[in-house]
Amino acid sequence: MAVPPARSNDRAHDSWRLVWASLTRADTVGLGIYVALSLAAALAGGIAAVALVPLIQPDHAWPIATHVPGLDGGMGMRIAVFAIAMGSFALLRWQAARCGARQISAYGMRLRRQVHARLIGASLGSLADATSAEIANVLTHNVEVIVQGLSALQQLLLAGLTCAVSLGLALWVSPPLALAAPLLAGVGLLASRLFGREQSEVARQYVADMTRLFWHSEDFPRRLRHVRSFGREDAEKASYADVSARLGQGYRRQLELVASGRLVLEWLAAAAITAIFLLAQRWHGVDQASVIAVCLLLGRLLPYLVSTRQSFQQLRSAGPALELRERYMRMSPALASTPATPSSVRRDALHIERLRVEPPIPGILVEQLALIPGEMTLVSGDSGIGKSSLVDALAGMAAPQVFAARVGGHEIDFDAYRQRVRNSAYVSQSVRPWQRTVRECLHWADPAASDEALHRVLKDVGLDQRLSISRQGLDTDLHSSSSRLSGGELQRLLLAQVILRQPYIALLDEATSALDATSELRVLSALKARLSHTILIVVSHRPGVAALADQQLDIGGGMPAALARRIVDEQASAGRQSMGS
């Protein structure tokens, strides 16, 4: 995310380029309409300023009045011209603002949808080095910074158009005052470059610090328990305060730079208007009415000069934010989606003859692994040895280095294997439901499930009694303090989703870790009974789970090979009888 200091001078140009490159054709058309409306508004406003002069000096002869209908008429006609011009200016500015608001809204929604869709479609490997805090920033605050950049671009276009129209009318009113144009152009150029480098550095640091703030805020209740247990509250406060201080200093410096730029601009604008008066005083043929008209036209630019500094700052801030977004947009895609095979043939047994995955180094090699619907395979081994990488490959979500398998005596490649396992369910240890209620969570797995079916699967995983004491029942809020489910209960709820799914293959990567040993065996036994046509793969550290498993895949001992063994029927039977008693 960091940008080399050597590129700091190019930051403003890069921001313009990045914002412009992020626009679609529809955005460009919308921006064109906004420019047209803004140009019309600027013309109406300029005409209103010109039409104000005959109202201020009704008895003063004004040569330009012969070129503007109504200005050489009576006072009533002059008032009407001014009122129409001002009314048109207000209406056109209102329409331009509405057009700009619609474009900003559509732009922000599209950016969010695009980056979220890209993350959904990214390969697991490309996400391995991404922190959840940075991803949260990319999906939330970072988009707001980019949207503010487009809004700043709109404001800069509006200021530029108003400046061009006002200067054009001023030169039309009094051509000799054209000598002031280079001075005004210099003011605008100075405005675009003033404090630009420092603002770029502040903006880039602001994006980085905001990601750190998301990191401090991530999963806060669980983090708080960890902090308190170690007695590190003061250290945590100090760390958070340090990030907050950098953000506060950066924000303060941004505002100071805007204020400093505004001060310089106002001084330069005052100097330019003073120069016009001096020029008019010394240049013969420039009457007082023309000077008043020119000053009124240039006075219209002061509010835009004041806001221009903030617009440049917002546009520069959008550059680092867009760079961070583009880094995620360039993530390598996941394996191409494959359609599930027809239900009449998708329940065959899978025989994996050879499968090798990395990481970790030196990798895991699996040979002669039979995956049979209705049977459970227990995957066990030391932490960090690569069980999750193996399960990713078995789920068809990550391509292994070596793969050889067969179905019904026919060899299949990994693409064919992925077709077979497309109808799957994967639950890992750290996943927490993001839906609002129990009903929404279960309907996410099967939108057509009846309430009777929902109650049945909740009974299978042991959640029925817990919900029976809640007045909301299936509509129990998952995030309310009065009805919040525990970690083990949330895992049961996700396992209920698996039963509703009725997948061809279900992969549970320590998805029962929050349950006690007895509850774990009871829930897994219920899953195995309800998923009689499902290949069930369970990752667990608890040796008692072997009593339910039909085969065990041992990964450990520092060996790169995974040894699959069929559990002796007598042992499995004895284990089931022991569990039942």
Side-chain angles (χ1 to χ4, degrees):
M1 182 176 66
V3 178
R7 294 186 56 197
S8 297
N9 291 330
D10 298 329
R11 177 62 59 189
H13 175 267
D14 288 347
S15 296
W16 280 92
R17 178 180 55 81
L18 288 170
V19 172
W20 186 259
S22 68
L23 301 179
T24 64
R25 183 175 181 178
D27 292 330
T28 306
V29 171
L31 195 60
I33 296 173
Y34 175 81
V35 167
L37 290 171
S38 299
L39 179 59
L43 285 170
I47 292 173
V50 172
L52 184 61
V53 176
L55 301 180
I56 298 175
Q57 292 186 321
D59 299 327
H60 189 82
W62 196 29
I64 200 174
T66 59
H67 302 287
V68 180
L71 295 187
D72 58 346
M75 182 59 68
M77 180 62 71
R78 295 177 179 181
I79 293 175
V81 170
F82 174 76
I84 292 173
M86 281 299 298
S88 300
F89 168 73
L91 180 62
L92 288 167
R93 281 296 307 274
W94 175 67
Q95 288 287 1
R98 292 185 63 192
C99 176
R102 286 194 297 267
Q103 184 184 19
I104 291 294
S105 175
Y107 179 74
M109 288 189 293
R110 179 172 58 79
L111 289 185
R112 284 197 172 88
R113 286 197 301 265
Q114 283 181 338
V115 72
H116 184 261
R118 194 69 192 85
L119 286 167
I120 290 292
S123 66
L124 296 177
S126 64
L127 289 169
D129 296 328
T131 66
S132 56
E134 189 173 72
I135 291 174
N137 186 21
V138 168
L139 291 172
T140 54
H141 177 77
N142 200 65
V143 175
E144 292 300 317
V145 176
I146 299 172
V147 169
Q148 289 174 7
L150 179 59
S151 178
L153 179 59
Q154 289 181 344
Q155 295 304 311
L156 289 172
L157 288 173
L158 175 62
L161 290 171
T162 304
C163 181
V165 170
S166 296
L167 289 177
L169 289 174
L171 297 178
W172 181 51
V173 168
S174 181
L177 295 180
L179 294 177
L183 179 61
L184 294 173
V187 171
L189 180 62
L190 184 61
S192 65
R193 304 297 295 178
L194 196 63
F195 309 122
R197 180 170 182 173
E198 184 178 359
Q199 283 188 339
S200 299
E201 295 297 331
V202 171
R204 188 169 67 252
Q205 187 61 42
Y206 186 82
V207 172
D209 286 335
M210 186 58 68
T211 296
R212 295 189 183 96
L213 197 66
F214 271 91
W215 183 261
H216 271 275
S217 308
E218 186 182 39
D219 201 6
F220 191 82
R222 297 188 182 193
R223 182 190 183 101
L224 181 59
R225 292 179 175 87
H226 185 73
V227 169
R228 285 180 177 172
S229 68
F230 279 77
R232 299 290 290 171
E233 293 95 334
D234 291 340
E236 187 71 6
K237 290 177 184 177
S239 178
Y240 188 88
D242 181 58
V243 179
S244 299
R246 287 200 301 271
L247 280 170
Q249 291 167 1
Y251 190 68
R252 173 184 59 79
R253 188 54 186 158
Q254 288 179 5
L255 295 180
E256 287 177 351
L257 291 172
V258 170
S260 299
R262 184 170 60 238
L263 174 63
V264 173
L265 284 173
E266 290 172 345
W267 278 352
L268 291 174
I273 293 175
T274 301
I276 291 173
F277 275 111
L278 292 175
L279 180 63
Q281 183 181 12
R282 295 179 179 275
W283 193 286
H284 298 290
V286 178
D287 63 358
Q288 185 179 7
S290 298
V291 174
I292 294 174
V294 169
C295 290
L296 287 174
L297 288 167
L298 297 183
R300 296 182 62 239
L301 302 182
L302 286 177
Y304 298 104
L305 292 177
V306 169
S307 62
T308 295
R309 290 304 312 138
Q310 185 171 359
S311 296
F312 272 110
Q313 183 271 325
Q314 289 177 337
L315 186 60
R316 288 191 176 96
S317 297
L322 274 165
E323 287 179 348
L324 178 60
R325 174 184 178 272
E326 287 303 309
R327 183 155 62 86
Y328 279 86
M329 291 297 293
R330 290 192 298 267
M331 282 185 167
S332 58
L335 298 174
S337 179
T338 58
T341 54
S343 58
S344 59
V345 297
R346 70 181 183 185
R347 299 291 177 173
D348 295 336
L350 297 171
H351 297 273
I352 297 178
E353 297 178 348
R354 189 176 180 84
L355 184 149
R356 181 181 180 86
V357 295
E358 294 180 9
I361 301 297
I364 299 173
L365 177 64
V366 175
E367 295 180 318
Q368 304 304 321
L369 174 63
L371 301 177
I372 302 172
E375 291 192 358
M376 177 191 294
T377 298
L378 172 63
V379 180
S380 57
D382 299 335
S383 297
I385 204 168
K387 298 187 297 296
S388 295
S389 296
L390 174 61
V391 173
D392 286 342
L394 292 175
M397 296 183 182
Q401 280 67 43
V402 177
F403 182 84
R406 56 187 172 84
V407 176
H410 301 286
E411 292 185 357
I412 60 172
D413 59 14
F414 189 63
D415 286 339
Y417 172 82
R418 292 180 61 231
Q419 281 189 331
R420 293 273 173 175
V421 300
R422 183 68 177 85
N423 179 15
S424 63
Y426 192 141
V427 181
S428 62
Q429 177 182 7
S430 57
V431 173
R432 298 190 302 276
W434 57 90
Q435 295 83 10
R436 186 176 60 86
T437 66
V438 171
R439 186 193 302 277
E440 289 180 5
C441 183
L442 296 178
H443 274 164
W444 184 84
D446 184 4
S450 64
D451 284 4
E452 181 182 357
L454 300 186
H455 283 292
R456 185 166 58 248
V457 296
L458 290 173
K459 184 176 181 180
D460 290 334
V461 298
L463 267 183
D464 54 325
Q465 292 184 354
R466 167 67 173 82
L467 294 181
S468 66
I469 63 177
S470 173
R471 290 179 296 177
Q472 290 79 27
L474 292 173
D475 295 314
T476 297
D477 195 324
L478 296 177
H479 307 292
S480 172
S481 60
S482 61
S483 59
R484 184 180 298 125
L485 302 185
S486 66
E489 290 169 336
L490 291 176
Q491 286 190 334
R492 291 176 189 264
L493 185 59
L494 293 176
L495 295 176
Q497 284 185 336
V498 177
I499 297 176
L500 285 171
R501 170 77 165 153
Q502 288 293 304
Y504 172 43
I505 183 170
L507 307 106
L508 311 181
D509 188 358
E510 299 192 46
T512 54
S513 59
L515 302 176
D516 60 77
T518 302
S519 298
E520 180 183 40
L521 292 178
R522 187 178 295 114
V523 171
L524 289 177
S525 179
L527 254 69
K528 189 175 181 183
R530 290 296 306 276
L531 301 175
S532 58
H533 301 290
T534 296
I535 297 171
L536 187 58
I537 298 177
V538 177
V539 178
S540 178
H541 290 286
R542 291 172 178 162
V545 178
L548 288 175
D550 298 283
Q551 67 176 341
Q552 184 168 353
L553 197 60
D554 295 314
I555 309 172
M559 300 294 292
L563 306 175
R565 63 180 177 85
R566 306 294 295 182
I567 296 178
V568 180
D569 292 341
E570 290 78 5
Q571 292 179 340
S573 176
R576 294 187 185 97
Q577 291 177 2
S578 174
M579 186 198 70
S581 61

